[in-house]
Amino acid sequence: MPSTQFPLDIVVIGAGVAGITCAQQLRLAGYSVELVEKSRGMGGRLAKRRLTDASAGATHADHGVCYLKPKDATFARLVQRLCDRGAMAVWTEKIHELGAVVGEVVPPQSRSARYASPQGINALAKAMSKDLTIHYQQRAVALHSQAEGWEIETDQGLSLKAKALVIAVPTPQAIALVEPLADLDDETLAQLKSVNYSKSIAAIAVYDPEHQATAAQLPWQGINCYRHESLAWVGLESSKQLNPQQPVVVVHSNMAFGEAQFEAEDRQAVGQSLLEMAAKATGEAWLAQPEILQVHRWGYAFPQTPLSEPYVEAKTNLPLWFAGDWCGGDRVESAFLSGLALANQINQQLKGEALPELFWQVLN
Ligand SMILES: Cc1cc2nc3c(=O)[nH]c(=O)nc-3n(C[C@H](O)[C@H](O)[C@H](O)COP(=O)(O)OP(=O)(O)OC[C@H]3O[C@@H](n4cnc5c(N)ncnc54)[C@H](O)[C@@H]3O)c2cc1C
């Protein structure tokens, strides 16, 4: 893997929503920016998984983020712009809940739009990452602070050099990278260490097409499971798609179940138990009999103790900043706002001026 010979202005570690937003703003402002991402695709927890190929009638599921529910005006405009382009749409206005009686699913008191994408929820990351240079399947493993700037090393032997560094990953992954730095200040490390994450396990299930008529008649598309001892969410993923041929369901465990079962050896059995609990809780017995069952473990699902600041700046000799959902919240929206605020701050420091919302340019 060749090394980049010239020092970049900025390297961003992590191509989730926070990293992409920050990098895109900086690129459009004229900085040379590259990202390193440990996975095969961008989006992080804004995740889509392909489940069957075209020959079997292609289908997929959002196995991380379930939907977007914008509150902030800029984020709402971004989601609306994606809707105007056909990349997102209102999925549902009603998220049901489990009732007090087992097998009972009750509608909500109020309605509000939840957005998703027929092509998969990572459509937002795809749109925002246009023209960015992202080095995939490159896990940043070591940082070196040198006279001329940062050197970022990956597990595949890639070496990037940059004048400034942005780390846009969950705090435990950030700590693993920065704790060895000799000049990292105690205050920054303490801030990072104060943010803890929940774990969650996702069961991703595809069903026989014979159940599609039943699924299409269900009164619910998504169910919040606050009352359940192990479940957090049951989502009828196929209802996000335009012409589904077979039901696809994602069940998320709650934090307690995620903690208890995270290291279980038989992951398929854990996924099957989630489906069985979902079948019982909803009164839909067929949910326990998938044609395909996949299981994904989220080691860093939601920050439990987010910071109120939109980014963190370390007091290191070389410029080093942190961004992510954990800076200001625990959702996609906070990740987006964190990336935006950090790009603005970097430009303030380097060029002494505020950065307008340049990212609209890639959404035209
Ligand atoms: C099960 C689940 C359901 C959720 N549901 C919702 C929902 O319905 N609505 C909502 O708004 N939010 C939801 N969230 C939360 C949402 O996913 C996050 O808030 C948001 O996606 C965080 O974005 P981020 O950019 O901060 O971090 P991430 O998405 O975690 O991005 C960080 C990226 O950094 C990469 N990375 C990490 N370490 C390294 C390294 N050393 N080198 C290179 N790359 C690295 C990761 O692979 C990842 O791509 C959900 C999360 C989960 C897990």
Side-chain angles (χ1 to χ4, degrees):
M1 181 63 65
S3 307
T4 302
Q5 292 306 313
F6 55 90
L8 296 156
D9 291 326
I10 295 143
V11 160
V12 177
I13 299 176
V17 173
I20 284 173
T21 304
C22 184
Q24 188 62 271
Q25 279 283 102
L26 293 168
R27 182 186 77 83
L28 291 166
Y31 296 94
S32 57
V33 190
E34 294 187 6
L35 295 97
V36 289
E37 167 55 52
K38 69 179 172 60
S39 307
R40 274 182 297 172
M42 91 282 283
R45 283 169 277 163
L46 192 77
K48 162 191 168 175
R49 183 177 288 196
R50 280 196 186 81
L51 296 165
T52 52
D53 61 24
S55 61
T59 193
H60 61 263
D62 300 332
H63 62 294
V65 173
C66 314
Y67 56 78
L68 304 178
K69 188 182 168 193
K71 293 189 185 127
D72 170 81
T74 306
F75 190 62
R77 275 195 290 132
L78 165 62
V79 171
Q80 188 53 52
R81 178 71 62 89
L82 293 169
C83 291
D84 296 343
R85 288 163 46 125
M88 296 205 90
V90 174
W91 169 45
T92 180
E93 294 193 334
K94 290 188 296 178
I95 296 298
H96 283 61
E97 290 174 20
L98 293 181
V101 176
V102 175
E104 185 188 44
V105 178
V106 294
Q109 302 284 343
S110 60
R111 291 167 168 252
S112 63
R114 269 71 165 198
Y115 295 82
S117 170
Q119 296 94 47
I121 195 89
N122 67 345
L124 183 144
K126 279 192 177 161
M128 286 292 285
S129 61
K130 186 167 180 262
D131 296 333
L132 285 177
T133 301
I134 305 177
H135 301 275
Y136 291 110
Q137 293 182 283
Q138 300 284 343
R139 178 192 290 267
V141 289
L143 308 176
H144 306 287
S145 172
Q146 296 169 343
E148 63 277 20
W150 291 104
E151 184 186 359
I152 299 96
E153 254 184 59
T154 76
D155 59 349
Q156 300 300 312
L158 177 70
S159 159
L160 296 178
K161 296 184 175 65
K163 293 175 206 155
L165 179 61
V166 169
I167 302 183
V169 305
T171 48
Q173 293 168 316
I175 291 166
L177 283 169
V178 299
E179 205 164 21
L181 292 172
D183 63 342
L184 182 72
D185 56 295
D186 293 344
E187 194 191 328
T188 300
L189 192 57
Q191 272 183 302
L192 296 176
K193 286 189 169 174
S194 72
V195 182
N196 301 311
Y197 280 78
S198 60
K199 291 183 169 64
S200 178
I201 301 175
I204 307 153
V206 183
Y207 296 88
D208 192 304
E210 74 175 25
H211 296 299
Q212 180 55 27
T214 310
Q217 295 297 318
L218 287 171
W220 52 266
Q221 277 103 33
I223 308 172
N224 271 327
C225 308
Y226 306 120
R227 291 173 189 269
H228 200 277
E229 61 180 17
S230 301
L231 302 180
W233 169 257
V234 179
L236 182 60
E237 283 295 312
S238 41
S239 67
K240 295 174 178 173
Q241 296 167 21
L242 295 179
N243 185 20
Q245 301 297 308
Q246 57 194 134
V248 179
V249 169
V250 166
V251 178
H252 288 308
S253 80
N254 66 13
M255 186 173 158
F257 185 93
E259 290 288 342
Q261 297 296 328
F262 202 77
E263 301 299 342
E265 267 183 34
D266 189 346
R267 292 188 198 167
Q268 287 300 107
V270 172
Q272 181 61 33
S273 74
L274 286 170
L275 294 186
E276 283 166 15
M277 286 188 275
K280 191 171 172 198
T282 60
E284 300 294 331
W286 58 276
L287 290 181
Q289 287 144 22
E291 262 190 348
I292 301 171
L293 168 61
Q294 297 186 7
V295 179
H296 185 88
R297 300 182 311 160
W298 293 106
Y300 309 110
F302 291 98
Q304 298 299 298
T305 47
L307 304 181
S308 50
E309 302 88 334
Y311 55 83
V312 170
E313 179 174 2
K315 296 180 185 70
T316 36
N317 297 331
L318 294 170
L320 169 63
W321 294 277
F322 301 85
D325 59 347
W326 53 277
C327 296
D330 61 358
R331 302 281 144 168
V332 174
E333 181 168 299
S334 55
F336 167 76
L337 293 174
S338 171
L340 204 58
L342 177 54
N344 189 47
Q345 175 63 16
I346 290 174
N347 199 57
Q348 284 278 11
Q349 283 192 22
L350 300 183
K351 292 190 184 160
E353 56 192 44
L355 210 52
E357 289 168 2
L358 299 170
F359 66 88
W360 298 112
Q361 293 172 28
V362 296
L363 299 170
N364 285 330

